[in-house]
Amino acid sequence: MSSPKPQEGTCGPTDLVGPESWSKVSCPCCISAQVEPLVLIQLAENVQPNTKQWIMAMISAPQVSGGAGLLAHPGEDASWGRIVVAAPRCSLLKATEDLGLCKADTDGNMITFSFTDRDKFSNIGDMQTFLTLAERQYIVKYALESMRAMKDLRIPGISGDKGVLKSRQSIFQKLQKAGVILDVFPLRHEKKLKALGREWYSQKSLWGQPLDRIHAYFGGSIAFYFSFLDFYTWALVPPAVVGLFITFFLPRWGSTDTPDPVTKPESPDGDGDQSVSGLMVQAVFSMIWSTVFMELWKRRSAALSYHWGSITLTERFQEPRPGFTGILGVNPVTGRMEPLFPDWKRQVRVGLVSVPVVLLFLGLVVLGMLGFYYCEAQMASFHKESGSIITAILSYLPSVIHITYTNMLGNAYRNVAQRLTDYENHREESSYQNHHTTKVLVFTFFNNFAVLFHIAFYKQDLNLLRKRLSSLLIISQVVNQFTEVFVPYIVDRFYSSPEKELKEDDPEADHLQAEGSLPAFPGLFAEYIELLVQFGYLSLFSCVYPLTAVLLLLNNITEIRGDAYKICCLFRKPFSPPETGMGVWQAAFELLGFVSVVSNCWLLLLAPRVKAFTLDAGLNTATVLVYAILVEHALIIVKLILAFMIPDEPDWVRIKREQIEYRSMKAVSQQKVKRASASELPPSKS
Amino acid sequence: MSSPKPQEGTCGPTDLVGPESWSKVSCPCCISAQVEPLVLIQLAENVQPNTKQWIMAMISAPQVSGGAGLLAHPGEDASWGRIVVAAPRCSLLKATEDLGLCKADTDGNMITFSFTDRDKFSNIGDMQTFLTLAERQYIVKYALESMRAMKDLRIPGISGDKGVLKSRQSIFQKLQKAGVILDVFPLRHEKKLKALGREWYSQKSLWGQPLDRIHAYFGGSIAFYFSFLDFYTWALVPPAVVGLFITFFLPRWGSTDTPDPVTKPESPDGDGDQSVSGLMVQAVFSMIWSTVFMELWKRRSAALSYHWGSITLTERFQEPRPGFTGILGVNPVTGRMEPLFPDWKRQVRVGLVSVPVVLLFLGLVVLGMLGFYYCEAQMASFHKESGSIITAILSYLPSVIHITYTNMLGNAYRNVAQRLTDYENHREESSYQNHHTTKVLVFTFFNNFAVLFHIAFYKQDLNLLRKRLSSLLIISQVVNQFTEVFVPYIVDRFYSSPEKELKEDDPEADHLQAEGSLPAFPGLFAEYIELLVQFGYLSLFSCVYPLTAVLLLLNNITEIRGDAYKICCLFRKPFSPPETGMGVWQAAFELLGFVSVVSNCWLLLLAPRVKAFTLDAGLNTATVLVYAILVEHALIIVKLILAFMIPDEPDWVRIKREQIEYRSMKAVSQQKVKRASASELPPSKS
């Protein structure tokens, strides 16, 4: 098979082919269209030629007969175990309607795409302008995953149970489970990627990401992550300014308990009142800031969702996710044959297995912490008694053991959380993700904040808290940047260099080879967790260490570039579905906002200044506590009112959304009238 | 005009007429159907014959030409100023589809009604079985309110601006504003009403209401109120049992602070521990009970909603409500000409007028309360000094003044709340209702609970709280029952008797006359408020007075009968739209549940037993407060987890709902495929 020449004017990611060498298309509209290779399917090495032929035939088969309605290409000579997939125009358009994407009409308004009314939409002639690259690639994945066996059949070239397909079974899932298909990934578009990188991580200016281009190239979920990172970084400016102001221009506000008694000597003269009001202002500011920030982000998120056409995504009745198992039966909702698993069994598994195991791990975290404190105290007294070098070195032992223990526990927990969620046997991908995320979040919170809460509320040592917080912030940033960007960069640069060189020499030939050699993108989970922990440090403990926001701001400016470089250069391009927002992470950030009100309120009470002030004012501890309770409850009420009062979407988005809804309602009712008048009502029999 | 003879087999509320004397129907299917009078329109006395003729013509005109598509009858000789309205079959069915009502198909499953597929539904031949009476009457109202002028025109017989109709203006609103239409109400169905009354308020058995029949006769919102009342009454059994148990079988638990020291002498021996744990158990029980109750009600509510076919009600793009004013312009969403009023102006009015006025009234409540306490203390000391009969009588003066003041304030506030909400100029009826309800609720809460909270947390006098609570419960019940049922009954019995007698003699002739003479139903607002205040007494202060639930249980058993009698016999039948649940009241009850956790937690702390116990244990007040804070936060977290864990709808309802959604999605996509194949895709031009 000779490598076909690239066609003039084709701007596909690999200028692989003209239409002639692709599988036949049944639809008349798509014959003359140029073909753009979008997705690569990686097959196992031992796959038989007739199996590959059958897979390609299924991919090209129309959707009504269980195929994907796509175009398949067997790839070049050297890469036998690969199938390159493209999509004809009408399959792309039909899927756009299925997904409920909005597109700009000829007047420039975004409206839900309708295949019948397709001529109303602008750019409808050119699929590469009408849909983004990420959307086209996601649609291919979606079509591949929709392939179903229409009757019981056997996959050619695969013996035994592995090759048996039951009616309505997902072909793609079966092929993956049977080990025939090893991997599927979207092809990267070198030119676009380089242009994106120039604008994104190589730019000189401090701020501004090309969010629309990120959305076009990488797709919804990734674009939302970077948009949030962007917005969050901007939002850090006010608390950073306040933090700097408090630290450097109003040293008296934080003086009594600064960790730096050399430069700013204690001033015990009666400025307690000012100090207290300063702390108060900061705590209230922090509370209002976190609320307003999340509310404004919701508005920004709604605007982006409109702008990117994902405001009216269709909620579909999903097929079970690949890992789902159960007894074959009829789904009561859809009437399809599929594995069934009763809800109560899942609930029993969650309640009697997952919850106790998670609690056990939380207990282990606490145990480790207590053990650490105990050992440290023992060591310190031991060192005091016999102050030799050996005991001095030994006094570091508890810390080392504790860090090792925490790390091991974290790794074990990640594993366990995955397995527990697998065992819970969720039918829907979204439910699986929610349960998994919740498990990891609970543990991460505990693991990161238990020590800080212990120091703050049990030991009540705000100086130690401040030290711990600042070292955590600085160390974790350095470690993160190092492990996330520097190490992969080095590995990429020096260890995978031969392939790189090859690619530089002949960009066409081994393009697909290079594509496959990059590691898969690990997902945004770890990135979101990192942001959340940061946000936790800031919102939970900010009134103790005003510089938190400044440090986070600096971190985020590098984080944006690091993450951008990582996703562009160090990993294979991931699939990224259209999304309406951050999903479960939105809830996690909002929850943290609530905890922060409580935390700040009680931290304030423990501040030595406040303590001194209340004693000076002749209040006993009980009275102060009662006031604190009142303040806490009032702050929570204020927060709720604020969150309620700021609308979740800007007015113009609301109007646009309502316009879309109104049009679709009108369209449905007009259609009903047409159908009704077509079949006129016969006279009543009664 | 001679009164037409009733037709054999017609079971309309007034057996008024056969089809011949009604206005003409254009639809061929409806000619042979029997005609059931459903709604009565009351005109002003001075209305010209040609105006009445025109109104009847518009009512009979098809909906495409701006009419209501209904049947109109000029009424009998004596009642010139009336129009009786009925609905032809196809108008009823089309409105059923418009509203998104679910109906049973031939297999007995509830599915969203579709006019085109109407033959799939059972009882489709007989409108009086297919739709409930309340649904038919609501549909008539809905169709009347949908009448629009198709071009600028003048209402015949009305001079001046009052008679000018602009294009797209609501005819019905205009006629009401011009004073031509005085009233519209659904006709009552004597036979059905009597049968319902027998089953409902005249029955001997303690429990059980004919909810389905209530729904059929009175409609969604009223049926939901009585269902809630029913469910709530059942739900009171567990706390009543616990309350009785605590009061009579475990006297020691509440002994130290019972208001009855004669029968149960103080036992100061060390049973503090048991007492404390008892109180604890009760507070935790109360918290769990209120959460579980509201969650179970949500499930019950979802089941009722499915059962009554209101689970998939269409959210429509409503016309502005009658009271809404603004500058005429184009609605950006619907593109219709209508009055517009900017949101920010409304927000300014809410923020700068409504909120301060409401706060002022809340301040007046507090002021009144403080004044009362001050005067009472003054009077008491005055009486002590010069103990004459005059001062003894005078010592009642503060109470009398306070009660009068509170009543006057309440009446003034009701008025003010209405006016403020009018002034806020809400476009949608639902928005108006929400703002009005919120205003009234805030004040009612304050007015009812401020004194109790003052006694509990400021005076910290739990004995007084207990006395006040029990007298409030008993007195308010007696007063409620008296004013709500007994007074109207007496008025109805003795003052409106002449008409009643007439009606008894000749049920046909003056039926419509009698109908109009009853007062209009005042709505469920006051009823819900009453339940909410009760629920407040129970959930906020139950750990102080364990018998609250018992008293409420007794009250509710009579309340059900009283409310039922009232709505059946003392008021005109109201229109009641199909509803999916309790709406804003659901949120109010849930909010109260949260406040109750906080309240119970701190009340517990004030209980003398607990105080004594903590002192015995050698804890200082601050430590106890810290524990209380921890317990409170933990309880709120438990409550949130409980609420999250209990699904809001039973599994079977979820499956049914998803079935309905899946079918409608399938129907839409099949239609799309049909339309798409009808207009085949032309070859791409690119």
Side-chain angles (χ1 to χ4, degrees):
Chain A
M1 209 181 296
S2 69
S3 176
K5 292 280 160 294
Q7 225 184 1
E8 273 289 305
T10 307
C11 55
T14 61
D15 296 324
L16 195 66
V17 277
E20 62 280 353
S21 63
W22 289 80
S23 55
K24 289 262 161 56
V25 199
S26 57
C27 175
C29 71
C30 305
I31 290 168
S32 63
Q34 60 197 8
V35 181
E36 177 200 34
L38 287 168
V39 168
L40 194 132
I41 300 174
Q42 176 83 52
L43 302 176
E45 284 192 15
N46 58 354
V47 166
Q48 303 294 314
N50 58 343
T51 311
K52 183 172 174 181
Q53 221 91 54
W54 181 82
I55 296 171
M56 285 180 61
M58 284 314 295
I59 291 173
S60 316
Q63 287 180 340
V64 284
S65 52
L70 300 173
L71 305 169
H73 190 282
E76 292 138 56
D77 262 354
S79 52
W80 172 237
R82 281 178 179 138
I83 300 173
V84 182
V85 187
R89 182 166 171 259
C90 62
S91 292
L92 286 174
L93 291 180
K94 277 174 185 160
T96 307
E97 184 180 80
D98 274 3
L99 294 172
L101 285 176
C102 287
K103 287 289 162 189
D105 67 5
T106 42
D107 301 334
N109 292 315
M110 301 295 278
I111 56 175
T112 314
F113 180 72
S114 150
F115 187 71
T116 325
D117 303 332
R118 58 189 173 279
D119 292 331
K120 279 188 201 161
F121 290 83
S122 62
N123 295 322
I124 192 74
D126 180 13
M127 280 304 99
Q128 294 178 25
T129 327
F130 182 71
L131 290 165
T132 66
L133 177 62
E135 282 167 353
R136 295 195 296 277
Q137 289 175 330
Y138 179 75
I139 285 173
V140 168
K141 178 171 176 259
Y142 170 75
L144 288 174
E145 285 174 350
S146 310
M147 291 195 293
R148 315 247 137 223
M150 297 312 267
K151 55 179 195 284
D152 290 7
L153 52 82
R154 166 164 279 286
I155 303 169
I158 300 171
S159 55
D161 267 0
K162 278 185 172 181
V164 176
L165 265 169
K166 291 215 179 94
S167 177
R168 293 247 355 109
Q169 208 173 355
S170 163
I171 294 175
F172 208 73
Q173 276 184 22
K174 185 77 191 182
L175 288 170
Q176 282 180 313
K177 272 192 194 164
V180 175
I181 291 178
L182 296 180
D183 211 342
V184 195
F185 49 87
L187 289 165
R188 46 163 53 180
H189 189 303
E190 287 298 332
K191 264 187 250 166
K192 281 194 183 172
L193 191 57
K194 267 186 190 156
L196 182 61
R198 262 195 305 278
E199 259 195 277
W200 196 6
Y201 55 84
S202 318
Q203 56 152 350
K204 298 268 156 55
S205 75
L206 212 60
W207 239 304
Q209 296 182 66
L211 293 177
D212 285 344
R213 281 173 162 246
I214 298 170
H215 175 256
Y217 188 81
F218 282 110
S221 55
I222 288 168
F224 265 109
Y225 167 72
F226 281 101
S227 305
F228 179 70
L229 187 53
D230 206 62
F231 189 82
Y232 174 43
T233 308
W234 271 108
L236 283 172
V237 173
V241 169
V242 171
L244 283 174
F245 187 76
I246 286 173
T247 314
F248 295 107
F249 294 91
L250 284 170
R252 285 193 305 173
W253 278 21
S255 66
T256 314
D257 32 45
T258 39
D260 191 14
V262 183
T263 51
K264 292 166 218 135
E266 295 257 349
S267 57
D269 52 286
D271 61 347
D273 190 27
Q274 195 192 6
S275 172
V276 168
S277 58
L279 277 166
M280 284 279 208
V281 166
Q282 213 199 337
V284 172
F285 170 82
S286 160
M287 186 275 289
I288 291 177
W289 172 80
S290 72
T291 312
V292 171
F293 159 57
M294 282 317 291
E295 292 299 313
L296 291 184
W297 163 247
K298 274 189 216 160
R299 292 166 69 88
R300 168 97 177 123
S301 176
L304 287 173
S305 182
Y306 169 76
H307 188 56
W308 292 337
S310 58
I311 205 164
T312 59
L313 289 185
T314 321
E315 275 180 47
R316 271 156 301 127
F317 291 88
Q318 293 169 321
E319 301 288 331
R321 46 181 281 279
F324 180 70
T325 56
I327 298 156
L328 215 66
V330 179
N331 181 319
V333 174
T334 58
R336 294 175 196 150
M337 279 294 275
E338 61 176 43
L340 298 178
F341 186 75
D343 271 351
W344 66 264
K345 264 195 191 174
R346 181 172 310 120
Q347 280 153 16
V348 166
R349 288 182 181 187
V350 171
L352 298 187
V353 181
S354 297
V355 171
V357 171
V358 171
L359 289 178
L360 177 74
F361 269 87
L362 299 185
L364 288 176
V365 170
V366 175
L367 216 68
M369 192 178 72
L370 296 180
F372 164 68
Y373 284 125
Y374 178 75
C375 291
E376 203 184 38
Q378 292 290 99
M379 280 295 170
S381 67
F382 185 56
H383 178 61
K384 229 177 199 171
E385 282 169 21
S386 58
S388 70
I389 300 171
I390 298 168
T391 56
I393 293 170
L394 273 179
S395 73
Y396 282 95
L397 201 63
S399 287
V400 173
I401 293 174
H402 186 232
I403 290 170
T404 320
Y405 173 80
T406 306
N407 264 327
M408 280 170 60
L409 203 64
N411 285 331
Y413 184 79
R414 260 193 290 284
N415 213 320
V416 166
Q418 181 95 45
R419 279 176 188 223
L420 281 177
T421 320
D422 283 340
Y423 175 66
E424 284 164 21
N425 200 15
H426 294 273
R427 188 184 173 279
E428 274 95 27
E429 189 61 34
S430 57
S431 161
Y432 180 90
Q433 292 297 345
N434 284 346
H435 275 83
H436 184 232
T437 308
T438 309
K439 280 193 196 70
V440 176
L441 275 185
V442 167
F443 181 80
T444 309
F445 267 61
F446 224 76
N447 211 11
N448 282 283
F449 299 127
V451 175
L452 295 177
F453 275 113
H454 183 262
I455 295 173
F457 296 116
Y458 188 78
K459 291 193 154 188
Q460 305 200 355
D461 183 346
L462 293 203
N463 268 329
L464 183 60
L465 180 62
R466 187 171 300 111
K467 269 183 211 158
R468 185 92 186 201
L469 199 57
S470 53
S471 57
L472 260 176
L473 281 168
I474 293 163
I475 292 171
S476 73
Q477 280 176 33
V478 171
V479 170
N480 270 331
Q481 301 289 334
F482 187 76
T483 54
E484 280 189 19
V485 182
F486 189 68
V487 172
Y489 174 75
I490 294 299
V491 170
D492 178 64
R493 193 83 199 151
F494 295 100
Y495 289 81
S496 7
S497 52
E499 274 182 35
K500 275 264 163 133
E501 293 298 315
L502 200 67
K503 201 171 136 202
E504 300 281 320
D505 288 348
D506 180 4
E508 294 300 330
D510 275 66
H511 182 93
L512 301 181
Q513 192 66 41
E515 190 87 40
S517 73
L518 288 173
F521 184 67
L524 295 164
F525 202 93
E527 309 292 334
Y528 271 119
I529 287 267
E530 198 189 320
L531 285 190
L532 201 68
V533 170
Q534 274 196 5
F535 183 72
Y537 291 145
L538 177 62
S539 62
L540 297 175
F541 304 108
S542 67
C543 76
V544 173
Y545 186 54
L547 284 182
T548 307
V550 180
L551 287 176
L552 290 183
L553 187 60
L554 292 176
N555 175 67
N556 277 9
I557 291 170
T558 51
E559 176 90 20
I560 290 175
R561 277 133 209 275
D563 284 353
Y565 175 71
K566 209 167 68 174
I567 199 171
C568 286
C569 300
L570 304 184
F571 293 104
R572 209 189 286 162
K573 184 182 176 186
F575 285 107
S576 159
E579 298 273 3
T580 45
M582 290 205 303
V584 65
W585 299 102
Q586 181 83 38
F589 275 91
E590 288 189 61
L591 185 67
L592 204 51
F594 266 97
V595 180
S596 81
V597 175
V598 181
S599 161
N600 270 304
C601 190
W602 298 113
L603 271 179
L604 200 59
L605 202 71
L606 296 174
R609 279 279 153 144
V610 179
K611 272 186 177 164
F613 170 68
T614 53
L615 288 176
D616 285 355
L619 301 167
N620 67 17
T621 322
T623 319
V624 175
L625 272 171
V626 169
Y627 281 119
I629 292 163
L630 291 178
V631 168
E632 186 211 28
H633 287 65
L635 281 180
I636 286 178
I637 291 169
V638 168
K639 189 180 170 73
L640 285 173
I641 290 173
L642 255 181
F644 179 76
M645 264 174 48
I646 302 175
D648 282 359
E649 47 185 11
D651 271 357
W652 67 270
V653 173
R654 183 181 53 74
I655 290 173
K656 292 275 184 190
R657 185 178 49 70
E658 285 179 357
Q659 276 177 355
I660 293 170
E661 284 165 10
Y662 182 72
R663 281 185 209 200
S664 90
M665 193 203 70
K666 277 279 150 187
V668 168
S669 71
Q670 275 171 10
Q671 220 167 298
K672 275 180 182 165
V673 170
K674 272 189 207 157
R675 286 166 65 209
S677 59
S679 66
E680 203 32 73
L681 194 67
S684 158
K685 278 156 274 175
S686 70
Chain B
M1 212 179 295
S2 67
S3 176
K5 292 278 161 295
Q7 223 188 2
E8 273 288 304
T10 305
C11 55
T14 60
D15 295 323
L16 194 65
V17 278
E20 61 281 351
S21 63
W22 287 79
S23 56
K24 288 262 158 58
V25 199
S26 59
C27 176
C29 71
C30 306
I31 291 167
S32 62
Q34 60 197 6
V35 180
E36 176 200 34
L38 288 169
V39 168
L40 193 131
I41 299 175
Q42 176 81 54
L43 302 176
E45 284 191 17
N46 60 352
V47 167
Q48 303 295 315
N50 57 346
T51 311
K52 183 172 176 180
Q53 221 91 55
W54 182 81
I55 296 172
M56 285 180 61
M58 282 315 294
I59 291 173
S60 316
Q63 287 178 341
V64 284
S65 53
L70 300 172
L71 305 170
H73 191 282
E76 292 138 59
D77 262 353
S79 52
W80 172 232
R82 280 182 180 137
I83 299 172
V84 181
V85 186
R89 180 166 172 262
C90 62
S91 291
L92 287 174
L93 291 181
K94 277 173 186 161
T96 308
E97 184 181 78
D98 274 3
L99 294 172
L101 285 176
C102 287
K103 287 288 162 191
D105 67 4
T106 41
D107 301 335
N109 292 314
M110 301 295 276
I111 57 175
T112 314
F113 180 72
S114 152
F115 187 70
T116 326
D117 303 334
R118 59 192 173 279
D119 292 330
K120 279 187 200 163
F121 290 83
S122 62
N123 296 320
I124 192 72
D126 180 13
M127 280 305 100
Q128 292 178 26
T129 328
F130 182 70
L131 291 165
T132 67
L133 178 61
E135 282 166 352
R136 296 194 297 276
Q137 289 174 330
Y138 179 75
I139 285 173
V140 168
K141 178 172 176 259
Y142 169 76
L144 288 175
E145 286 174 350
S146 310
M147 291 195 295
R148 314 249 137 218
M150 296 311 266
K151 54 177 193 290
D152 290 6
L153 50 84
R154 166 162 278 289
I155 304 170
I158 300 172
S159 56
D161 267 0
K162 278 187 172 180
V164 175
L165 264 169
K166 291 217 177 92
S167 176
R168 293 242 2 105
Q169 210 175 353
S170 164
I171 295 175
F172 208 74
Q173 277 184 20
K174 185 77 191 181
L175 289 169
Q176 282 180 313
K177 272 190 194 166
V180 176
I181 292 178
L182 297 180
D183 213 344
V184 195
F185 48 86
L187 289 165
R188 45 164 53 182
H189 189 302
E190 286 299 333
K191 260 188 251 167
K192 280 194 182 172
L193 192 56
K194 270 190 187 151
L196 182 61
R198 261 197 306 279
E199 259 196 275
W200 197 4
Y201 55 84
S202 318
Q203 57 152 352
K204 298 269 155 52
S205 74
L206 212 57
W207 238 304
Q209 297 181 68
L211 294 177
D212 284 343
R213 280 170 163 251
I214 298 169
H215 174 257
Y217 187 80
F218 282 108
S221 55
I222 289 169
F224 265 108
Y225 167 73
F226 281 102
S227 305
F228 179 70
L229 187 52
D230 205 65
F231 189 82
Y232 175 43
T233 310
W234 269 108
L236 284 170
V237 173
V241 169
V242 171
L244 283 173
F245 187 77
I246 287 173
T247 315
F248 295 107
F249 293 93
L250 284 170
R252 285 193 302 172
W253 278 20
S255 63
T256 314
D257 31 43
T258 39
D260 191 13
V262 183
T263 52
K264 289 166 222 138
E266 296 256 351
S267 58
D269 53 285
D271 60 347
D273 189 28
Q274 196 191 5
S275 175
V276 169
S277 59
L279 277 167
M280 284 279 210
V281 166
Q282 214 197 334
V284 172
F285 170 83
S286 161
M287 186 275 291
I288 291 175
W289 172 82
S290 72
T291 312
V292 171
F293 158 57
M294 282 316 293
E295 291 298 313
L296 291 183
W297 164 248
K298 273 190 218 161
R299 291 165 69 88
R300 169 96 175 125
S301 177
L304 287 173
S305 182
Y306 169 76
H307 189 54
W308 291 338
S310 58
I311 205 165
T312 59
L313 289 186
T314 320
E315 275 179 49
R316 271 156 300 127
F317 292 87
Q318 293 168 322
E319 300 288 331
R321 45 179 285 278
F324 179 69
T325 56
I327 299 155
L328 215 66
V330 179
N331 181 319
V333 173
T334 59
R336 295 175 193 148
M337 279 294 276
E338 61 175 42
L340 298 179
F341 186 75
D343 271 351
W344 66 266
K345 265 196 190 171
R346 180 173 310 121
Q347 280 153 16
V348 166
R349 288 183 180 186
V350 171
L352 297 186
V353 181
S354 297
V355 171
V357 171
V358 171
L359 289 178
L360 177 75
F361 269 87
L362 298 186
L364 288 176
V365 170
V366 175
L367 216 67
M369 192 177 72
L370 297 179
F372 164 68
Y373 284 126
Y374 177 76
C375 292
E376 204 184 37
Q378 293 290 98
M379 280 295 172
S381 67
F382 185 57
H383 178 61
K384 228 175 198 171
E385 282 169 20
S386 57
S388 71
I389 298 173
I390 299 168
T391 56
I393 292 170
L394 272 178
S395 73
Y396 280 96
L397 201 62
S399 287
V400 173
I401 293 175
H402 187 233
I403 289 169
T404 319
Y405 174 80
T406 306
N407 265 328
M408 280 170 61
L409 203 63
N411 285 331
Y413 184 79
R414 260 191 291 283
N415 214 320
V416 166
Q418 182 97 44
R419 280 174 187 227
L420 281 177
T421 320
D422 283 339
Y423 176 66
E424 284 164 18
N425 198 18
H426 294 274
R427 188 183 172 280
E428 273 96 27
E429 188 61 34
S430 57
S431 162
Y432 180 89
Q433 292 299 345
N434 284 347
H435 275 83
H436 184 231
T437 309
T438 309
K439 279 191 197 68
V440 177
L441 275 185
V442 167
F443 181 81
T444 311
F445 265 65
F446 224 75
N447 211 10
N448 281 284
F449 298 127
V451 176
L452 295 177
F453 275 113
H454 183 262
I455 295 173
F457 295 115
Y458 189 79
K459 292 194 154 188
Q460 307 201 354
D461 183 347
L462 292 202
N463 268 328
L464 184 59
L465 180 62
R466 188 172 298 110
K467 267 182 209 155
R468 185 92 187 205
L469 198 58
S470 54
S471 58
L472 260 175
L473 280 168
I474 293 162
I475 292 171
S476 72
Q477 280 177 35
V478 172
V479 170
N480 269 332
Q481 301 289 333
F482 186 76
T483 54
E484 280 188 19
V485 182
F486 189 67
V487 172
Y489 174 76
I490 295 299
V491 171
D492 179 64
R493 195 78 200 158
F494 295 101
Y495 290 81
S496 5
S497 50
E499 276 185 32
K500 274 265 163 130
E501 293 299 315
L502 199 67
K503 199 171 137 206
E504 299 283 318
D505 288 349
D506 181 0
E508 294 301 330
D510 275 66
H511 182 92
L512 300 181
Q513 193 65 42
E515 190 86 38
S517 72
L518 287 173
F521 184 67
L524 296 165
F525 202 94
E527 309 291 335
Y528 271 118
I529 288 270
E530 198 189 319
L531 285 189
L532 202 67
V533 170
Q534 273 196 9
F535 184 72
Y537 291 145
L538 177 63
S539 61
L540 298 175
F541 306 106
S542 66
C543 76
V544 174
Y545 186 54
L547 284 182
T548 308
V550 181
L551 288 177
L552 291 184
L553 188 60
L554 293 176
N555 175 67
N556 277 8
I557 290 170
T558 51
E559 175 90 20
I560 289 174
R561 277 134 210 277
D563 284 351
Y565 175 72
K566 209 166 68 173
I567 199 170
C568 286
C569 301
L570 303 185
F571 293 103
R572 208 189 286 160
K573 185 182 174 185
F575 285 107
S576 161
E579 297 273 5
T580 43
M582 290 205 301
V584 64
W585 299 102
Q586 180 83 37
F589 275 92
E590 286 188 61
L591 185 66
L592 205 53
F594 267 96
V595 180
S596 81
V597 174
V598 180
S599 161
N600 269 304
C601 190
W602 298 112
L603 271 179
L604 199 60
L605 202 69
L606 296 173
R609 277 283 151 143
V610 178
K611 273 186 176 163
F613 170 68
T614 52
L615 287 176
D616 286 355
L619 301 168
N620 67 16
T621 321
T623 318
V624 173
L625 273 171
V626 170
Y627 280 119
I629 292 163
L630 290 179
V631 168
E632 187 211 29
H633 287 65
L635 281 180
I636 286 179
I637 291 169
V638 168
K639 189 180 170 71
L640 284 173
I641 290 173
L642 255 181
F644 179 77
M645 264 176 47
I646 302 175
D648 283 359
E649 46 183 15
D651 271 356
W652 67 269
V653 173
R654 183 180 53 77
I655 289 173
K656 293 277 186 189
R657 185 178 49 70
E658 285 180 355
Q659 275 177 355
I660 293 170
E661 285 166 9
Y662 182 73
R663 279 185 211 201
S664 88
M665 192 203 70
K666 277 278 150 190
V668 168
S669 70
Q670 274 170 12
Q671 221 167 294
K672 275 182 183 165
V673 169
K674 271 187 207 159
R675 285 165 67 210
S677 60
S679 67
E680 199 36 68
L681 194 67
S684 158
K685 276 156 275 173
S686 69

